[in-house]
Amino acid sequence: MSASRRSGTTDELGPDEPEQPDQPERDGADLLAALLDGMDAALCAFDADGVVTHWNREAERILGWTAAEAVGRHGFAGWAVREADAEEVEGRLLSAMRAPGRQVHEFALLTKDGGRVLVRTQSAAVRGPDGKPAGVYCAFSEVHAQIDLERSIALSEALFEDASWGVVLVDADLRPAVVNAHAARALGIGRTSVLGRPLGELLAQGVEELESALTHVLAEGAPPAPAEIWVSVRTPEGEQRRCWRCGFVRLASPLAEEPVPLGVGWLFNDITTAKLAEQEASLLRFRGNQLHRAARAAAECEDPAEAATVHLDFALAGFADHALIDRVAGDGALADGDSDVPVRLVRVAATPSGAPGPSLLTGQAGLPVRYAEGHPALQCVERVGSVRASVGSVPAERAREWATARQWPEDAVHALCAVLRSRGRTLGAVTFLRGAGRSSFERSDAAYAEDVAMRIAAALDLAGALRG
């Protein structure tokens, strides 16, 4: 019936003017059907008498019954539920009309081919215009799918609350979108303060490597193994260098037909302590091997003075750029009671200052080196202990002047002097020098230099004894 007839007017329709259905009502029904069929969950509805009124495509996919076969049936008995279970199942579903809110149940439904599916349902009352219950709607899904969803949600919440490693969701613009508490502590900033900020504002060093990894994951997917990235984090105490073992996963929207990258899941753990211990152990193994190889090579030298230069050459590998051996002038040794005697040193061996090569024996003339008072080598002999020196942060010209004034190669910026001791006497000092491309000497470097100095002193003492 047309809208005009419903309104009570008396206009007539001609023979070529067929009566048209109500367009808004048809559009509303089409929209409702599209919404029901597009749902990810299975949905059915019952009227107040328990007759099925709606059945969407997801329900058809799970149970195999089409909407034409389901709509109009009274309850589930005999087709979607076993006869023995039908009364209980229907009672639990229809009880939602008398209960407030949603009711959650689990029970087994029958598929069209005779199989059984365990489903979890959520049912609630459907109210009529007068506010009274007019039926029940029931949304259901397979229990294993629901459990998988709950596990995924629980895992996500646990990662961002209780995880013992850092978890950061980075958007497609490489800005943090979600940060857990552990990651915020590692970055030295609050969880909300970090959101949306460029990574360059959060890290002092290592940003380029991290952004390159994130860009690669967005374009190519997750790498096959974790990556170790060194970064510098800004803290109230200053910059701290940290090593993070990082894992990356690309995040894609599950709602899009084609994978649309939402960003990257970045997980990391601080392994700085373990990494430094590993590096230290590797360095100790290398230095121990060098000492062993040097001892075997020195044992084949007929001249003990040549053996001293062999020890010096093996010690330089990975340790220093230049090395010098200075021996006490005159008798070649100082007893512990000779502290009031002015110390003069003669250069007996040195590495080439130009092209690399083996150390060369020098000092045949016996002329003392022009060391100024307070020189690190003189302090080393006087104190009978190791001395470290560094030029610090100065212009390159000032650094060259500093090295030249101490009779060292002009590219030296860090020095370590170790005393040569043998048979209770001080024979001199060995000096190791590093250029600007290396870090300054540490306490562990002094211990290694003292081991080398002990071997050099023994060789020099033997050479002096043979000459005597």
Side-chain angles (χ1 to χ4, degrees):
M1 183 178 292
S2 67
S4 59
R5 290 181 182 271
R6 289 201 306 273
S7 63
T9 56
T10 58
D11 59 322
E12 296 184 357
L13 298 174
D16 296 330
E17 186 181 357
E19 184 175 356
Q20 299 295 327
D22 188 270
Q23 187 67 24
E25 290 184 2
R26 188 181 68 183
D27 291 344
D30 292 342
L31 176 60
L32 177 61
L35 289 174
L36 293 179
D37 286 339
M39 292 178 61
D40 292 333
L43 184 136
C44 65
F46 303 88
D47 61 15
D49 297 326
V51 176
V52 179
T53 60
H54 294 81
W55 190 265
N56 72 349
R57 290 183 180 177
E58 185 64 14
E60 177 181 345
R61 184 193 68 80
I62 294 176
L63 299 180
W65 303 96
T66 65
E69 295 170 323
V71 174
R73 291 179 180 262
H74 189 280
F76 284 158
W79 61 286
V81 174
R82 295 190 310 172
E83 291 286 354
D85 302 330
E87 183 178 354
E88 178 188 0
V89 170
E90 292 178 12
R92 292 165 68 180
L93 289 177
L94 296 180
S95 67
M97 284 192 296
R98 301 181 298 276
R102 293 179 298 175
Q103 305 294 312
V104 179
H105 303 285
E106 289 185 8
F107 41 74
L109 298 181
L110 295 178
T111 62
K112 188 175 182 180
D113 57 7
R116 300 183 71 194
V117 179
L118 184 63
V119 299
R120 177 176 295 178
T121 66
Q122 294 187 23
S123 54
V126 178
R127 306 286 176 179
D130 56 357
K132 296 181 179 180
V136 174
Y137 81 84
C138 173
F140 63 91
S141 60
E142 297 175 80
V143 166
H144 71 82
Q146 183 71 17
I147 292 177
D148 288 344
L149 175 60
E150 292 179 2
R151 284 173 177 164
S152 298
I153 295 174
L155 174 62
S156 175
E157 292 181 351
L159 286 176
F160 286 103
E161 295 298 333
D162 306 322
S164 58
W165 55 87
V167 182
V168 181
L169 296 189
V170 182
D171 62 21
D173 295 328
L174 305 185
R175 296 171 183 256
V178 185
V179 178
N180 75 342
H182 189 281
R185 288 193 300 270
L187 292 169
I189 195 171
R191 293 183 64 178
T192 56
S193 302
V194 71
L195 303 183
R197 298 177 60 178
L199 294 175
E201 296 182 6
L202 307 176
L203 300 174
Q205 294 180 5
V207 178
E208 295 80 3
E209 186 176 359
L210 179 58
E211 289 183 343
S212 176
L214 294 172
T215 303
H216 172 82
V217 173
L218 281 173
E220 305 293 337
E228 295 179 357
I229 300 178
W230 283 92
V231 300
S232 291
V233 182
R234 297 184 179 94
T235 66
E237 296 77 20
E239 294 183 3
Q240 292 185 357
R241 188 159 173 78
R242 316 299 298 171
C243 182
W244 290 344
R245 178 170 289 160
C246 304
F248 304 94
V249 291
R250 181 169 60 179
L251 305 178
S253 173
L255 304 179
E257 295 183 2
E258 297 182 359
V260 177
L262 296 178
V264 176
W266 168 32
L267 296 85
F268 66 90
N269 193 26
D270 194 325
I271 60 169
T272 307
T273 302
K275 197 65 178 178
L276 292 177
E278 178 185 334
Q279 291 178 351
E280 183 177 357
S282 177
L283 181 60
L284 289 176
R285 285 195 302 269
F286 173 75
R287 290 179 175 177
N289 289 335
Q290 287 296 99
L291 291 174
H292 174 72
R293 294 172 59 196
R296 295 190 59 180
E300 302 299 325
C301 297
E302 296 183 3
D303 184 1
E306 182 183 353
T309 63
V310 168
H311 284 292
L312 193 66
D313 291 334
F314 274 93
L316 278 178
F319 183 68
D321 298 315
H322 306 286
L324 314 168
I325 298 177
D326 297 322
R327 186 160 184 180
V328 174
D331 296 336
L334 288 176
D336 291 343
D338 298 337
S339 57
D340 56 345
V341 178
V343 177
R344 295 185 302 165
L345 299 177
V346 177
R347 180 74 46 80
V348 296
T351 54
S353 58
S359 300
L360 304 176
L361 290 171
T362 60
Q364 285 80 5
L367 298 178
V369 186
R370 294 181 296 104
Y371 285 154
E373 184 178 355
H375 191 280
L378 296 178
Q379 294 182 32
C380 173
V381 173
E382 293 169 355
R383 298 176 184 178
V384 193
S386 299
V387 174
R388 286 178 289 168
S390 181
V391 68
S393 299
V394 299
E397 184 61 32
R398 290 283 304 277
R400 284 192 292 269
E401 293 175 359
W402 178 85
T404 303
R406 286 157 180 76
Q407 309 301 315
W408 292 335
E410 62 179 14
D411 59 340
V413 295
H414 308 295
L416 171 59
C417 299
V419 65
L420 301 176
R421 294 278 294 178
S422 179
R423 294 190 294 164
R425 301 175 303 156
T426 301
L427 307 185
V430 56
T431 302
F432 295 98
L433 302 169
R434 289 178 176 175
R438 293 176 179 265
S439 61
S440 60
F441 289 99
E442 304 291 340
R443 190 177 300 275
S444 59
D445 297 324
Y448 177 63
E450 290 166 1
D451 284 343
V452 176
M454 178 183 64
R455 289 162 170 78
I456 293 176
L460 293 179
D461 195 13
L462 178 59
L466 291 179
R467 283 197 302 269

